[in-house]
Amino acid sequence: MLERLLRWKIPLIIILVLVLVGTIHYTSIRRPDITRLEGILRDVLSPFQWSFSRIGGFFQHQVAEVNRWRGLKERNLELEERVSQLEAEVFALRNHRRENEWLREALDFRDEGEYELLVAEVIGRSPSQWESTIVVNKGQAHGVVSGMAVVTNAGIVGTVINSSNYTSTVLLIVDAQSATGGLVQATGDLVLVEGGQMGQTTLAAKPLSRDTKVEVGDVIVTSGLSRIYPKNLPIGEVVAVESRQYDLSFSAVVDPFVDFTRLEYVLIVMPQEES
Amino acid sequence: MKYVGYGLIIIVGLALQTASPGLVVFGRQPELLLLLTLLFAMLQGPGASVFGFVSGLFQDILVGRFIGLYAGTYLLMAILVGFLAKRLYKENALVRFFAIVLGTVLGQLLYLFGAASFGSSSPQSWVLISGVVGTGLLNGIVGVLLYRPFMALNERLIYLHELLKRTG
C-alpha cells in the first residue's frame, strides 16, 4: 500500500507544490493585465455577483429605511441647525471662489477640477477579509485600465489594479497594500496615508517631515504628487493622533469620508485628453 | 451529476462571498469557501481535498494575487480536518464547532504566512489576531448551523450521482 502510494502520489504532490509555488511567485507582483482565464472567470461570475449584490442591497436599504424613520424628528432639528450653519458657510465660500477664480486667471492655472468621470456600479468585493478590494461593472471595453483613480462625491475610494473586459478590481485605500500621498488641508503639510488598520475602516497618516503638525479635526486631502489621484480630493478627517516611541514621531488615525461598507456607485477618473 | 452540484456550490459560494454588501454577521464576514471546504472534509474525509483545491483556486483567480495560495491552503485544511473528522466524534456539535474554528484559524494563518513570505505586507498584529479569531468563531457558529442541511444536500447529490450511473 505504502509502496503504491509512494510510487505516484508523492511525485504528484511534489509537482503540485512546485507548480503552486511557481504560480504564487509569478502572481505575487501586482500585474496590470490579467490572464485570459482570469478575465473569463470574472466576466462569468459578474452576473451572479450583480444579482447577489442587488439582493443584499435591497435588504440593506430596508434596514436603513426603518432606522431612518426612527430618528426622523431628531434628524430634522439637526438638519435645520446645520442648514443655517451651511448657509453662512456657502456665503463665505462664494466669496472665496470668486477670489480663487480671479487668482487662477491671474496665474493662468489649469482648472484641475475638470475630469472625465465614468460611473460604475459596485458588483462585488474581495472574497477574503485580508484584501480590501471591490469589483465594478466597467472594464477594458469601457476604457478602464490599471492605475486609474476611483472616487465618489465624498472622497477617494482607491485605484484600479486590474480589469477584465467588463469588470475591474479596485484596491481600496483602506487595504494594507495601499499608500496615498496626502496633505493636511489646514497647513499644507505632506503626509503618507496608509491602510491596513483595525477592521479596515480607518487610515493612518504618517508625517513626511519632522515639522508636520496634525490635530484632531484636520481634513486630509490628496496631494496630487502620486499622479494617480488629482489634487485636493478629500480623503478623511483626523480623529486621533498617536505618538510613537520616544515622541519622535506620530501617526494620525484618519476616518475616511467614504463609507466603504455602503458603496454602490463609484466614479472612475478617466485620463484627460491632451489638448 | 455530483460534480456539477459541487461546481454550482462553489460558484454560488463565491458569488455570495464576493457580493457587495456581503454577508455580515456580528460585523464580520465568514470565509464561506473555507467553511464549505471544512464541511466537506468532515463529511468525506481527506477526499474533500479536491473540492478544497478547486474552490481555493477559484478564489485565487478572483483575488488575482498569489494564485495558488488559497488553493494550497484549502487543500491542506481539507486534509487536516478530514483526518481529524475520521478520528473524532463529529456528530457532537461542539466537536464540529472546534474543528471548524481550528481549520479556519489555521487556514487564515497559513494564507497570511504564505502571502507575507512572497512579499505582502501583513496587517498589524492586533488586527490580525482579532480578524483571525473573530472569523474562526463566526465560521464555527455558521458551520454548526449549516452542517445538517449540507449533509442532506451532499447525500442527495451522491444519491443522484449513483442513480444516474446505474441507469446510464
Side-chain angles (χ1 to χ4, degrees), chain B residues 114-127:
Chain B
S117 311
F118 284 92
S120 173
S121 54
S122 304
Q124 293 170 6
S125 53
W126 42 285
V127 175

Side-chain angles (χ1 to χ4, degrees), chain A residues 27 31 125 127-129 131, chain B residues 17-18 64-65 67 70 111 135:
Chain A
T27 54
R31 300 163 297 148
R125 56 172 190 84
S128 155
Q129 63 171 323
E131 299 92 20
Chain B
Q17 176 87 34
T18 57
R65 265 192 106 188
I67 292 177
Y70 275 121
Y111 176 80
T135 311

Side-chain angles (χ1 to χ4, degrees), chain A residues 16 20-21 23-25 27-31 37-38 41-42 44-45 48-49 52-54 56-57 60 122-131 134 161-162 169 176-177 196-200 260-261 263, chain B residues 11-12 14-23 28-29 31 53 57-59 61-72 75 108 111-112 118-124 126-128 130-132 135:
Chain A
L16 186 70
L20 284 184
V21 170
T23 53
I24 294 168
H25 178 71
T27 54
S28 62
I29 309 149
R30 194 171 291 158
R31 300 163 297 148
L37 179 72
E38 290 170 79
L41 180 72
R42 286 177 195 196
V44 165
L45 199 71
F48 290 96
Q49 287 178 309
F52 282 114
S53 296
R54 279 293 164 104
Q60 199 180 45
V122 179
I123 57 164
R125 56 172 190 84
S126 50
S128 155
Q129 63 171 323
W130 306 113
E131 299 92 20
I134 53 168
I161 49 170
N162 54 51
T169 306
Q177 312 294 323
Q197 306 305 302
M198 182 65 178
Q200 311 266 40
F260 294 99
T261 57
L263 277 178
Chain B
I11 295 281
V12 171
L14 202 56
L16 266 174
Q17 176 87 34
T18 57
S20 175
L23 285 171
R28 296 218 161 269
Q29 286 167 328
E31 291 273 342
F53 181 80
L57 196 62
F58 271 54
Q59 188 159 326
I61 291 171
L62 265 198
V63 171
R65 265 192 106 188
F66 309 117
I67 292 177
L69 194 51
Y70 275 121
L75 183 140
Q108 288 181 98
Y111 176 80
L112 288 170
F118 284 92
S120 173
S121 54
S122 304
Q124 293 170 6
W126 42 285
V127 175
L128 193 145
S130 73
V132 166
T135 311

Side-chain angles (χ1 to χ4, degrees), chain A:
Chain A
M1 177 68 184
L2 191 69
E3 279 176 16
R4 266 185 65 197
L5 213 87
L6 282 170
R7 203 178 299 155
W8 64 275
K9 267 199 174 169
I10 290 184
L12 209 77
I13 290 168
I14 292 169
I15 292 168
L16 186 70
V17 168
L18 286 175
V19 169
L20 284 184
V21 170
T23 53
I24 294 168
H25 178 71
Y26 172 70
T27 54
S28 62
I29 309 149
R30 194 171 291 158
R31 300 163 297 148
D33 297 314
I34 53 172
T35 60
R36 202 176 163 78
L37 179 72
E38 290 170 79
I40 290 169
L41 180 72
R42 286 177 195 196
D43 289 340
V44 165
L45 199 71
S46 63
F48 290 96
Q49 287 178 309
W50 181 83
S51 311
F52 282 114
S53 296
R54 279 293 164 104
I55 296 166
F58 171 77
F59 283 111
Q60 199 180 45
H61 275 300
Q62 298 311 311
V63 172
E65 197 68 8
V66 171
N67 288 336
R68 199 173 69 85
W69 277 100
R70 273 188 200 161
L72 215 56
K73 199 177 171 186
E74 287 169 25
R75 184 89 183 121
N76 197 31
L77 285 171
E78 267 176 40
L79 286 174
E80 275 176 15
E81 198 180 318
R82 186 98 181 104
V83 163
S84 48
Q85 276 176 3
L86 286 172
E87 273 173 351
E89 219 167 287
V90 164
F91 180 75
L93 283 172
R94 274 190 190 137
N95 283 340
H96 285 308
R97 192 172 70 182
R98 207 175 51 241
E99 193 180 284
N100 192 15
E101 277 167 8
W102 184 85
L103 282 169
R104 273 180 189 281
E105 274 174 33
L107 291 166
D108 197 24
F109 268 174
R110 189 176 171 192
D111 191 356
E112 288 170 280
E114 288 172 7
Y115 320 106
E116 201 188 320
L117 299 170
L118 178 70
V119 180
E121 189 182 351
V122 179
I123 57 164
R125 56 172 190 84
S126 50
S128 155
Q129 63 171 323
W130 306 113
E131 299 92 20
S132 291
T133 57
I134 53 168
V135 181
V136 295
N137 68 342
K138 294 281 162 31
Q140 287 166 2
H142 309 92
V144 180
V145 290
S146 169
M148 285 182 173
V150 179
V151 299
T152 66
N153 56 352
I156 64 166
V157 173
T159 42
V160 175
I161 49 170
N162 54 51
S163 48
S164 67
N165 270 343
Y166 302 105
T167 64
S168 294
T169 306
V170 179
L171 183 76
L172 303 180
I173 52 167
V174 287
D175 188 275
Q177 312 294 323
S178 171
T180 312
L183 56 87
V184 186
Q185 199 180 35
T187 59
D189 288 336
L190 289 170
V191 287
L192 185 69
V193 183
E194 293 178 336
Q197 306 305 302
M198 182 65 178
Q200 311 266 40
T201 52
T202 57
L203 301 158
K206 290 170 183 170
L208 291 181
S209 129
R210 281 207 308 197
D211 306 325
T212 302
K213 283 188 172 59
V214 176
E215 286 174 12
V216 172
D218 277 347
V219 170
I220 308 290
V221 295
T222 52
S223 65
L225 296 174
S226 68
R227 286 185 168 206
I228 292 175
Y229 298 105
K231 200 174 175 180
N232 283 332
L233 292 179
I235 297 176
E237 187 183 328
V238 175
V239 288
V241 180
E242 295 164 352
S243 293
R244 288 210 194 136
Q245 218 173 6
Y246 311 117
D247 278 345
L248 287 175
S249 183
F250 69 85
S251 173
V253 180
V254 178
D255 187 19
F257 289 129
V258 174
D259 182 358
F260 294 99
T261 57
R262 289 172 189 275
L263 277 178
E264 284 182 64
Y265 291 93
V266 291
L267 302 163
I268 301 171
V269 182
M270 307 298 277
Q272 282 176 307
E273 281 178 27
E274 294 294 325
S275 55

